[in-house]
Amino acid sequence: MSQETFAFTSSALRSLRLQRELLELEERRRALARESATRRFLPPRASAQLAPAPARRPQRCRDPAVHNALYAGDLLRVKSIFKDENAANLIMETVSEELAWSPELGLWVLSPRKKHTSPLRIAASRGYRDCARHLIMQGAEVDAVVGGQAALHDSVAGLRLDCARLLLAFGADPNVLSEEGLAPLHLCTDPESLPCAELLLAHGARVNLSTRDRHLTALHVAARRGLEAHVELYLRHGAEPARRSREGETALNAACAGAERPEDAERYYRVAERLLAAGADPRAAGRKDHTPLHNACGNGQTRLARLLLRHGAAATAPNCAGYTPLDCALHAVDEYRHQRPERTIALLLDHGAGPVNPKVGDAGARLPPGFWGGGRRQCHSVPPVTRVSRQMLKFCCRCPRALEVVLNASDRVPPAEAWAEAVPPELWQEHEVFYESALRMAGQPRRLQHLARCALRRHLGARCHAAIPKLALPPALRHYLQLPLEGLIH
């Protein structure tokens, strides 16, 4: 045998064949990536000149055998079915019968509903990386939006990191929009989606890209769901906390509105901390002019409310209906009565919130703007203190601790007709000593010690939380000025 030749064994042939396939795959990947980059970064006219002629209209496929091969991830059958570009870009169509109201017939009828997807979407959503690779090699369009989404949307939503990495390596646009106007980064809504978010950002995803309709950024989405790691990631990549949605909400508004469950309080607190450290405005009014403090108080989040107040949130800011954060806290008393709502109320009172107590019968007295839903109107038909108290006590009466704080914030106890009948008998029996004392003091003058407390707190106003602990008074008196709970109304 000549020295320039060697024996072609079966293993050597397999190795050469595999090497050739890998080279072809890499060439295809680079060509797709170059084409995607050209379309993304060149001016519209230039990219239009370089764009290939439009492909013919893709065909639809309803064959169950084809669908089953894709959904099962059967690579051998997928290779035998999808052998060219036309097959790789088929539209997979399913038809289901759904009930629909027919105005002409006046009854519900079965109506066929078509759903569309693509072979690449199916493979990417289920994590079939090899099937997805084969489809791309046969000419499947990586950015094709079929049935409302592209394959990259499905891989991110399904937490299929390998498929997302494959699509991006073959030139998928990380900012491709679905028919609803969502980019893949907007679909990172789960704590486990952090690697997907990191991958998208590494491949050029725009962190401040907004959804088409609601103008939500990825930071809005992460804050609303309390995803602390996502928020940190987006802020490191230049996310802007001041960005507003179509309704005017910032990410901080979204975080405080999303903190609804007690078990999630800690992670939403940490999200708010990071947003405030990044420059978020605690006074930013969002939907219906709700500030973050309105949302935190409405969700019974005392610690979150304290954080916002420490960063300059306004305890007396009204929303579009005239409600203040104290109103929101009082509305939430019954729902969050097991979360110590009296702490939120006392916190707001220490920061300047609270009822104005004009003299009974002073029909011309003016309430603060927005107090108890009255907007900027003036109450003339009923004495203001009566109207305020009825609303206040109706929300508080089922929580004795909250009711005690509210009553002690006033220099008189209003009549009890509005709230006494609303207290359940079993609750009254359990806290009979407190309720009887409140009933007994209704309409009666308070003792001089309490009136002095009210006068001093009114003088200090929003400085109560900082000034009272520094007063040169005996500890017992300082404690009394902070509206401690005694279980009685004196």
Side-chain angles (χ1 to χ4, degrees), residues 377-395:
R377 294 177 298 174
Q378 195 169 333
C379 304
H380 294 285
S381 58
V382 181
V385 81
T386 304
R387 176 164 296 191
V388 171
S389 300
R390 285 179 179 176
Q391 289 270 21
M392 186 185 304
L393 300 176
K394 183 176 67 174
F395 291 116

Side-chain angles (χ1 to χ4, degrees), residues 9 17 32 64 81 92 139 177 187 190 262 264 269 291 322 326 329 338 363 384 392 436:
T9 63
R17 191 179 299 112
L32 287 172
I81 295 172
M92 313 306 295
L177 295 181
L187 301 179
D190 192 89
D264 296 333
Y269 179 86
T291 66
L326 179 60
H338 301 299
M392 186 185 304
E436 290 293 342

Side-chain angles (χ1 to χ4, degrees), residues 163-213:
C163 287
R165 186 178 288 111
L166 174 71
L167 292 166
L168 291 166
F170 276 92
D173 183 2
N175 299 304
V176 61
L177 295 181
S178 67
E179 288 183 357
E180 295 181 353
L182 302 177
L185 202 59
H186 297 131
L187 301 179
C188 296
T189 58
D190 192 89
E192 286 73 29
S193 66
L194 182 63
C196 289
E198 293 173 335
L199 180 67
L200 290 168
L201 290 169
H203 282 78
R206 292 160 52 196
V207 72
N208 288 310
L209 180 64
S210 300
T211 59
R212 183 183 299 127
D213 295 332

